[in-house]
Amino acid sequence: MHGAQPILSLKAVRKMFGPHAAVDSIDLDIAEGEFFTIVGPSGSGKTTMLRMLAGMDTPTSGDILLKGERINDVPANKRPTCMVFQSLALFPHRTVGQNIEFPLKIRGEAPERRKSRALQLMDLLRLPQSYYARNVMKCSGGERQRVALARALAYDPQILFFDEPLSAIDYKLRKTLEKELKDIHRETKKTFVYITHSLEEAMVMSDRIGVMRAGRLVQVGTPQQIYSTPNSRFVSEFVGDVNVIPVSLGSDGLLHSSLRGEKLKAPGVPAGFTTGHLVIRPEYMKFLSGPGEADNVLGGRLYNEYALGSRIQYQVRVGESVFIVEKLRQQAFAGRLDDDVFIGWDSRDAILVTD
Ligand code: ATP
């Protein structure tokens, strides 16, 4: 945050629906110009949080500050912010140009100025200028999404809120739009607050990510921090495939696991740690030729392999437990299914979490 005043601050924000806290005691600062993504599973409170930030709902308790001013009760249309919805909410019988110019029209801007701004925004969003007079319903889903974003930008808001805008779009186009959105964020330098249930999407675009679980913000950090140093089993599993081993700390300083009684070497053990989980990402797991080649080595059986484009995942069974090992395609493992194999990892590549 570099000491600058945050554009948005949440102070102990809570939203109750009857006895149920949909959003519970959230403290958060969002910096001006930041791309901040709130991510969490269905029902974790993302939409409720965004609705309060956008002024469509008021907190039951706590405060929301915009540049230091309390805005709890300021309605959406009185805030210098704009929401971009998943359901596009465009005017279906109007042209692309008319849709984009709508905010400028209600502000009373002259037609020539409106048109030149609309064409500028279409340029920014890589919509061909020839689309200006096209009926918006003749545009594809991805194009309509861009029109909606151009219209939101025409309001010239300080903050844009995005409610899962890409979830209804097919995978390939979504991947393209994720990158475009990040480019647009760069070019407009506006504050973007985005919600999604896809951490993968959040990773691509965001400066920082807040992970929600059952109404609480359980971790806030850069994509790199969320990926490499998850603070809980929940966050580690939310990021993608992981190997998770239940462990307890023995008096010998080793981690005692349920894996056939294996004792594992610990990475830095947090003060007060007694029981929890050891988390190892599949790309840090190695195939080895025998014991001693890594801090922790387990013998198992190669059960299956899965091609994932540029990577290959291997499933290795160790007793009753299943491990995932991942390799780049050019470093594919030469073993055959049902081979006895050794897998392992170095302590520094594992993360110990307390839950
Ligand atoms: P999704 O990804 O499915 O949209 P979400 O993370 O956005 O989920 P919310 O829609 O914020 O979650 O809902 C959080 C919790 O609050 C849920 O348990 C939901 O059932 C409840 N909830 C949301 N809106 C209301 C409402 N108007 N009245 C009662 N309960 C509500």
Side-chain angles (χ1 to χ4, degrees), residues 44-89:
S44 57
K46 307 180 294 294
T47 308
T48 306
M49 173 123 135
L50 201 70
R51 286 175 57 82
M52 289 191 284
L53 295 181
M56 296 154 74
D57 232 331
T58 50
T60 309
S61 60
D63 283 325
I64 301 175
L65 310 179
L66 179 78
K67 292 188 173 166
E69 301 269 326
R70 186 175 181 274
I71 55 161
N72 288 27
D73 306 311
V74 178
N77 61 358
K78 296 277 190 306
R79 293 187 186 190
T81 61
C82 189
M83 182 84 127
V84 184
F85 288 98
Q86 172 188 342
S87 54
L88 294 170

Side-chain angles (χ1 to χ4, degrees), residues 17-18 20-23 40-49 57 163-164 195-197 212:
F17 290 117
H20 173 71
V23 165
S42 185
S44 57
K46 307 180 294 294
T47 308
T48 306
M49 173 123 135
D57 232 331
D163 184 358
E164 302 236 18
I195 62 171
T196 177
H197 60 272
M212 284 193 78

Side-chain angles (χ1 to χ4, degrees), residues 149-220:
L149 185 51
R151 189 175 68 178
L153 287 167
Y155 282 99
D156 198 26
Q158 293 182 27
I159 307 175
L160 277 98
F161 295 111
F162 296 87
D163 184 358
E164 302 236 18
L166 306 182
S167 61
I169 292 175
D170 72 66
Y171 180 82
K172 192 157 182 291
L173 181 60
R174 197 165 72 233
K175 292 283 133 201
T176 310
L177 290 175
E178 283 170 4
K179 290 189 187 145
E180 281 187 17
L181 203 55
K182 188 166 188 178
D183 294 347
I184 290 158
H185 172 254
R186 224 193 122 165
E187 280 169 47
T188 60
K189 300 187 175 64
K190 294 201 180 283
T191 307
F192 282 21
V193 180
Y194 194 99
I195 62 171
T196 177
H197 60 272
S198 159
L199 194 54
E200 196 189 337
E201 188 168 305
M203 290 272 175
V204 175
M205 299 187 294
S206 320
D207 295 318
R208 281 191 311 154
I209 296 170
V211 183
M212 284 193 78
R213 179 187 196 185
R216 291 184 177 263
L217 210 45
V218 291
Q219 189 169 5
V220 177

Side-chain angles (χ1 to χ4, degrees), residues 26-40:
I26 302 250
D27 287 298
L28 175 68
D29 285 338
I30 296 176
E32 186 146 18
E34 193 170 24
F35 196 138
F36 190 91
T37 302
I38 300 162
V39 53

